[in-house]
């Protein structure tokens, strides 16, 4: 085979490879019209238009998420410390860096679950709900509530989408993504945290205590 002929075959191979594979990356203005957004690729994974897999998942270390209020507020309008049992409920879902939440029962949830299970034999949860009750103690003129921090974990990987016919000029597209979601208690020796918090009433809240309905009482809102 002559050198020119080899170059012709080599050029054809490169052309076929360029048609087959596309990688989502940061694009300048000139490139933006030539490739889809990461959101479009993941949407095709969710709808099933693209035949997708979540490749090479890597599970990060578990960590405590930001604390958030999970109960009603308890106001102490009396002149003595007060305690009351309060119920609370907290549901924490998953999100991904491409954008948006991971819908329970949605198309990409099953793909992530299958990938993580096959790689680590680990059951990934896209959502976690927990309920319980706690005794809240509040000093006079203060407001109390229950706060919870969910144990979280990140899973990084790459979406691979295959189309039967080229879409945006390629059969395959690859999109890096990071999934953030709840982790089971005990992961990496860590646990979710539930704590009682309190603060002084604001001026407007003190006015609530001055009304006839709440004067000298402990009430929730």
């Amino acid at each position: 085979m002559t050198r020119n002929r080899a170059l012709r075959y080599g050029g054809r191979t490169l052309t076929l490879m360029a048609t087959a594979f596309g990688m989502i990356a940061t694009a300048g203005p000139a490139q933006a019209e030539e490739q889809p957004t990461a959101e479009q690729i993941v949407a095709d994974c969710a709808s099933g238009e693209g035949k997708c897999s979540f490749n090479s998942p890597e599970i990060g270390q578990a960590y405590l998420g930001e604390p958030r209020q999970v109960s009603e507020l308890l106001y102490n309008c009396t002149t003595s410390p007060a305690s009351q049992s309060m119920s609370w409920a907290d549901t924490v879902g998953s999100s991904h860096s491409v954008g948006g939440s991971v819908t329970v029962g949605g198309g990409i949830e099953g793909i992530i679950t299958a990938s993580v299970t096959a790689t680590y034999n680990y059951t990934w949860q896209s959502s976690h709900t927990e309920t319980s009750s706690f005794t809240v103690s509040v000093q006079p003129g203060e407001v109390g509530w229950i706060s919870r921090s969910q144990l979280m974990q990140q899973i990084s990987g790459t979406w691979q989408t295959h189309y039967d016919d080229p879409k945006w000029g390629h059969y395959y597209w690859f999109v890096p993504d990071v999934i953030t979601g709840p982790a089971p208690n005990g992961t990496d020796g860590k646990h979710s945290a539930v704590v009682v918090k309190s603060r002084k009433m604001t001026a407007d809240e003190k006015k609530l205590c001055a009304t006839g309905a709440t004067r000298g009482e402990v009430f929730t809102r």
Side-chain angles (χ1 to χ4, degrees):
M1 181 183 292
T2 66
R3 182 173 182 274
N4 287 340
R5 188 179 179 188
L7 287 175
R8 285 198 300 272
Y9 275 98
R12 182 183 178 188
T13 301
L14 290 173
T15 300
L16 289 174
M17 289 179 64
T19 302
F21 298 101
M23 184 74 177
I24 299 295
T26 303
Q31 295 176 307
E33 295 179 358
E34 300 172 2
Q35 65 177 23
T37 64
E39 289 83 354
Q40 287 174 306
I41 294 296
V42 174
D44 280 357
C45 290
S47 68
E49 181 177 345
K51 300 173 183 177
C52 295
S53 59
F54 188 66
N55 297 341
S56 305
E58 294 185 6
I59 300 179
Q61 287 288 313
Y63 64 95
L64 274 181
E66 291 296 322
R68 59 182 186 173
Q69 178 185 329
V70 294
S71 73
E72 294 182 305
L73 296 174
L74 182 65
Y75 295 83
N76 186 356
C77 298
T78 72
T79 57
S80 303
S83 297
Q84 182 170 305
S85 178
M86 299 183 69
S87 298
W88 60 266
D90 189 28
T91 298
V92 179
S94 299
S95 61
H96 52 127
S97 59
V98 169
S101 61
V102 178
T103 305
V104 176
I108 66 173
E109 182 198 31
I111 299 172
I112 299 169
T113 299
S115 177
V116 173
T117 299
T119 305
Y120 295 98
N121 194 27
Y122 169 79
T123 302
W124 174 75
Q125 294 179 318
S126 63
S127 179
H128 177 74
T129 298
E130 196 164 325
T131 61
S132 188
S133 60
F134 216 82
T135 299
V136 178
S137 298
V138 186
Q139 295 298 314
E142 292 191 353
V143 183
W145 68 93
I146 299 170
S147 177
R148 183 173 183 270
S149 297
Q150 169 67 44
L151 191 65
M152 304 292 287
Q153 202 165 36
Q154 291 188 329
I155 303 173
S156 59
T158 301
W159 292 102
Q160 176 183 320
T161 304
H162 169 242
Y163 297 100
D164 293 330
D165 298 305
K167 189 170 183 180
W168 295 292
H170 299 285
Y171 285 99
Y172 295 89
W173 282 95
F174 298 88
V175 180
D177 199 3
V178 178
I179 314 298
T180 302
N185 270 334
T187 302
D188 298 330
K190 301 175 183 178
H191 294 79
S192 298
V194 180
V195 297
V196 173
K197 293 190 174 183
S198 62
R199 60 169 173 79
K200 297 291 185 180
M201 289 186 190
T202 65
D204 287 340
E205 288 169 339
K206 289 179 180 179
K207 291 178 182 178
L208 292 175
C209 286
T211 65
T214 58
R215 186 181 298 123
E217 295 182 358
V218 177
F219 71 98
T220 57
R221 185 179 181 182

